[in-house]
Each structure stands twice: as structure tokens, then as C-alpha cells.
Amino acid sequence: QVQLVESGGGLVQAGASLRLSCVASGRSFSSWKMGWFRQAPGKEREFVAAIRWSPGSTYYDDSVKGRFTISRDSVKNVMYLQMNSLKPEDTAVYYCVADPIGYFGYTESSSYKYWGQGTQATVSS
């Protein structure tokens, strides 16, 4: 069974950094795509970043380009989201997502079959 478990959220001030982790288990993810979505209170979920597991190709929403970096450790089956220069508007629950079809359909939540429980990141001004 596929399991996705996020961690690394917390409370930080604007300009600080956080690194989120997602431990994936249950399968070989070599042909999968994985990524991060976030949801702020009162808002719909939005795409943050995605990665093709094997080649490591990455995709970012414009709102986080230049500040966030998605990566993965294919040996440990851990995906990361390094978040730098955090802003109050980055405050949200961040969800780890994965899907066995590892191409296209990166930015829509419906493109991902598996979701983690989320980890809260709060950025104060």
C-alpha cells in the first residue's frame, strides 16, 4: 500500500526557511510523478511544485519560482521541498502527492491519486 507522510512544517518569520519532507513507501516510485500542493484557510488547494521521480525533472508554480526547490532522494524514497525567503502568503497546509503516471498533468490536483495528511507551515510578518 502506498503511504505518504509529510513532516517539517512549523512557525517561522518572514524571510526564514523551512524544509518539508515526504517519506514515500509501499512501491518503487521510479516511474512516478510526485509533488506538493498547499491549501490556505478559506482558499482552494493550489499547485506548488512537482518532480518526475527518475529523471528528476522539476516544475514550479510562478508564485514560488526562485524561492522553493523540490528534490528527491531515490534511495531513501524521500521527497523534499526546500522553502526559502518565506512570505506570510506561503502560510498553508502543505500536502505531499504522488501518481503512477509520471508525465504531464502536473499542476492539477486531479492528476494525483495519492495524498498525504499534510503539514502546517505558518509564516508570520
Side-chain angles (χ1 to χ4, degrees):
Q1 299 182 33
V2 173
Q3 298 286 332
L4 305 174
V5 181
E6 308 98 326
S7 63
L11 174 62
V12 299
Q13 292 187 327
S17 298
L18 284 171
R19 190 178 79 160
L20 307 183
S21 299
C22 174
V23 178
S25 62
R27 299 281 183 85
S28 171
F29 297 93
S30 60
S31 63
W32 290 45
K33 65 175 181 285
M34 301 182 69
W36 296 91
F37 280 74
R38 65 186 181 186
Q39 186 169 26
K43 300 182 67 176
E44 62 185 30
R45 289 176 180 170
E46 63 177 354
F47 171 74
V48 178
I51 187 168
R52 291 188 185 182
W53 194 257
S54 292
S57 304
T58 58
Y59 310 86
Y60 297 93
D61 184 76
D62 288 342
S63 65
V64 304
K65 284 182 178 178
R67 298 189 298 121
F68 291 10
T69 302
I70 188 171
S71 62
R72 85 279 186 263
D73 184 329
S74 59
V75 175
K76 297 180 179 180
N77 282 350
V78 179
M79 182 178 63
Y80 303 98
L81 184 67
Q82 178 67 44
M83 305 190 293
N84 297 329
S85 302
L86 284 163
K87 305 174 181 179
E89 50 262 47
D90 295 318
T91 296
V93 176
Y94 284 75
Y95 296 92
C96 174
V97 299
D99 193 88
I101 302 176
Y103 47 85
F104 55 82
Y106 301 110
T107 63
E108 297 183 349
S109 60
S110 60
S111 297
Y112 298 90
K113 181 178 181 179
Y114 299 99
W115 289 66
Q117 296 299 304
T119 185
Q120 175 72 48
T122 302
V123 184
S124 63
S125 60

